[in-house]
Amino acid sequence: MNEEEIEYTTEATQRSLPRRYAGFWMRFWAYLIDLIVIFSINGILLSPFKFINDGSPIDVGFWTLTGILGAVIFYAYFLLMTKFFKQTVGKMIFGLKVIRNDAQPLAWSDLLFRELVGRFIHRVFFFMALLYIVVAYTPEKQGVHDMIGNTRVVFVE
């Protein structure tokens, strides 16, 4: 069997197994670890900007250049890790992964809505961050960003 056949067989087997959805606390701790990873990456990549412009922030309209780059790194981390590994570092540590409801491979459109639109809504509108508690009460443990992206977070079996 080649790699594609093995992957297809594995996905078909996973569709037939009952899924164990990851709840609020597991996802919360995984997210905290992801924030530590992102802050570390930002610290490494953005610290050289302290030596430019005599240490003053470089303003780009309402924002600063390091603020814009930090946001790009934040969203790119979640988008690319989820696309290529189906999990972020935090999810890897806790044995979680992101899947589509129909168990098909994650498409860019699913992830753009889940990781960019969903996370943007949670981060920009403060009261929407409180809606993350929805994960604790939905039958499939979905957050608003999961509903937008038609995804689920499950335990790796």
Side-chain angles (χ1 to χ4, degrees), residues 12-89:
T13 304
Q14 287 177 352
R15 278 184 231 143
S16 63
L17 294 174
R19 297 178 181 154
R20 283 187 36 218
Y21 299 106
F24 174 81
W25 288 109
M26 291 298 287
R27 294 173 67 168
F28 173 77
W29 294 117
Y31 181 68
L32 285 183
I33 289 172
D34 289 329
L35 288 180
I36 292 169
V37 170
I38 292 167
F39 289 147
S40 300
I41 292 169
N42 279 345
I44 292 167
L45 295 179
L46 300 180
S47 61
F49 285 95
K50 293 178 183 174
F51 302 105
I52 299 173
N53 200 27
D54 294 327
S56 299
I58 301 170
D59 293 328
V60 181
F62 183 70
W63 301 282
T64 63
L65 181 59
T66 55
I68 293 168
L69 292 174
V72 168
I73 291 168
F74 176 85
Y75 291 111
Y77 169 81
F78 283 104
L79 180 65
L80 297 175
M81 289 292 292
T82 306
K83 175 60 179 169
F84 294 114
F85 300 105
K86 297 181 183 163
Q87 51 192 178
T88 59
V89 172

Side-chain angles (χ1 to χ4, degrees), residues 82-145:
T82 306
K83 175 60 179 169
F84 294 114
F85 300 105
K86 297 181 183 163
Q87 51 192 178
T88 59
V89 172
K91 286 182 179 74
M92 288 177 191
I93 290 171
F94 288 99
L96 309 174
K97 73 176 182 175
V98 179
I99 62 167
R100 281 177 43 148
N101 188 38
D102 58 5
Q104 296 295 317
L106 293 168
W108 282 107
S109 59
D110 300 325
L111 294 174
L112 288 173
F113 280 104
R114 181 183 198 275
E115 301 297 346
L116 296 182
V117 175
R119 288 194 191 279
F120 181 81
I121 289 170
H122 279 303
R123 291 189 60 89
V124 170
F125 304 108
F126 175 72
F127 64 91
M128 292 296 285
L130 299 175
L131 282 182
Y132 198 78
I133 198 75
V134 168
V135 170
Y137 298 104
T138 57
E140 295 181 344
K141 309 294 184 201
Q142 286 182 286
V144 174
H145 62 291

